[in-house]
Amino acid sequence: MQRTDTIAEAQDELRQEFALFDDWRERIEHILELGKELPPLEAGLKTAENKVHGCQSQVWMVGPVDPATGRLRLRADSDAYIVKGLIALLMRLYADRPPAEILASPPTVLEEIGLAKQLTPGRSNGLWAMNKRIQELAAKAEAARMAGA
């Protein structure tokens, strides 16, 4: 799949993609497939410092800034395929984006495609914990950029 230029375009793409599914079961199967395709995170990055708190499953997330582009190089992994699929959705929105764009673009599409209603409360809380972690990484990167400007 080709990378979209903006988060808004990525959200539109997800809306269109999920509109193709007739029911929630098909959507979950798609999310599971996305999870199976997510590249693993190196074992050395699966540390307590990189762990996302508030998730039912184990989730690790890193977000170094690419010095050449200033974009956040998000990567993450989990021990559960459904969570890996949710990570994949967040990565499609936010990976390799400028921190300021990430901070200005809440993931409204996730509620629009029904995730908030269909996930268990624990999985839903984990999704928002992962989003919060992305926002924190972006805020830290943006603050560092502003301090260096």
Side-chain angles (χ1 to χ4, degrees), residues 9 22 45 48 54 59 67 70 84 93 102 119 134-135 138 143:
E9 290 172 349
D22 292 328
L45 294 174
V59 177
K84 288 175 71 121
L93 295 175
I102 293 169
L119 292 173
I134 291 169
Q135 298 300 311

Side-chain angles (χ1 to χ4, degrees), residues 17 42 62 71 84:
E17 185 176 317
E42 297 87 14
V62 296
R71 293 172 177 260
K84 288 175 71 121

Side-chain angles (χ1 to χ4, degrees), residues 2 10 16 20 28 41 43 59 61 64 71 88 94 99 105-106 129:
Q2 200 170 34
Q16 292 171 17
L20 298 173
I28 287 294
L41 194 62
V59 177
M61 185 178 292
R71 293 172 177 260
Y94 296 125
S105 305

Side-chain angles (χ1 to χ4, degrees), residues 100-148:
E101 183 185 6
I102 293 169
L103 293 170
S105 305
T108 54
V109 69
L110 300 180
E111 292 202 25
E112 293 169 19
I113 63 175
L115 286 181
K117 291 186 287 188
Q118 298 297 325
L119 292 173
T120 65
R123 293 281 187 234
S124 184
N125 288 341
L127 175 63
W128 299 118
M130 290 184 287
N131 181 64
K132 180 181 176 192
R133 173 65 181 262
I134 291 169
Q135 298 300 311
E136 290 168 351
L137 291 168
K140 183 179 174 184
E142 184 64 7
R145 186 188 71 78
M146 296 300 286

Side-chain angles (χ1 to χ4, degrees), residues 79-93:
D79 59 354
Y81 281 121
I82 184 77
V83 177
K84 288 175 71 121
L86 296 174
I87 291 168
L89 292 176
L90 289 169
M91 293 295 137
R92 284 180 53 188
L93 295 175

Side-chain angles (χ1 to χ4, degrees), residues 27-38 81 85 88:
R27 290 176 179 192
I28 287 294
E29 288 173 6
H30 180 63
I31 291 169
L32 286 167
E33 286 302 314
L34 292 174
K36 291 175 183 176
E37 296 169 6
L38 188 72
Y81 281 121

